[in-house]
Amino acid sequence: MDSADLSPLVEIMNRLRDPESGCPWDVEQSFATIAPYTIEEAYEVSDAIERNDMDALCDELGDLLLQVIFHSRMASELGAFDIAAVIQGICDKMIRRHPHIFSDVEATQAQTVLVNWETIKANERAAQFEKDPSALSGVAKALPALMRAEKLQKRAARTGFDWPDVSGAIDKLQEEILEVQEAQSEAERHDEIGDLLFAAVNVARHKRVDPEQALRDASAKFERRFRAMEAAAGQEFPDLSLIEKEQLWLDAKLSTAPAQ
């Protein structure tokens, strides 16, 4: 496959950001104002993949690529870096992290590749030690909350700060449930529910379950069942009693259950 030419898209962004003749909205944007759009576009890519919609995926990948070009253009205006540096940087990183492909290191199994990958990443983090010596350095604050919690826990576990098995994590989860029940003030409830969610992520990690995906799947399941309830009841649904709605929920669970 021929390499794609990014220059037309780069030129479009250059014109949009031109301070004299560019688009007023694009010109006034900054890294901070564009960041939420970048995150949103990444989620829309994920959504297209989940729906197995290739046309949408192509479109959303274009939107995500535009975000990369946008940030690179703003950085170029500051004299920090440009899109060429972004591309060169990721090329260098991928070559560095795949020595079994681009050098003489042998790795014929996926597990060996993962071990090598983590070793290389650890060496890269060591190079940044003087900036932030913590084992938790580099875990982005903008990650989805469940994903960030899992990454923080994994980093801490590398230092030996972890439950020896899942039973400790489950006991902690049960402890946090009790503390939520006992919380009195709004601040206490906020704090304890945060601890409860963090403990739930710990259980998921020990059970080798992706908490972010598990919650996404649970939300999708709830949506399917709730929509089935609405469809079964029609316009009268809001006026039904809770008992009637619970029966509809049970019916919906049966009707939307995956085939065995």
Side-chain angles (χ1 to χ4, degrees), residues 169-184:
I170 291 176
D171 289 344
K172 184 63 176 176
L173 179 62
Q174 293 172 335
E175 175 187 323
E176 296 298 348
I177 292 173
L178 292 176
E179 292 182 0
V180 168
Q181 293 173 329
E182 295 169 357
Q184 299 296 316

Side-chain angles (χ1 to χ4, degrees), residues 237-248:
F237 178 74
D239 299 322
L240 296 179
S241 68
L242 182 57
I243 293 177
E244 291 172 316
K245 288 175 181 174
E246 287 178 342
Q247 184 57 54
L248 284 173

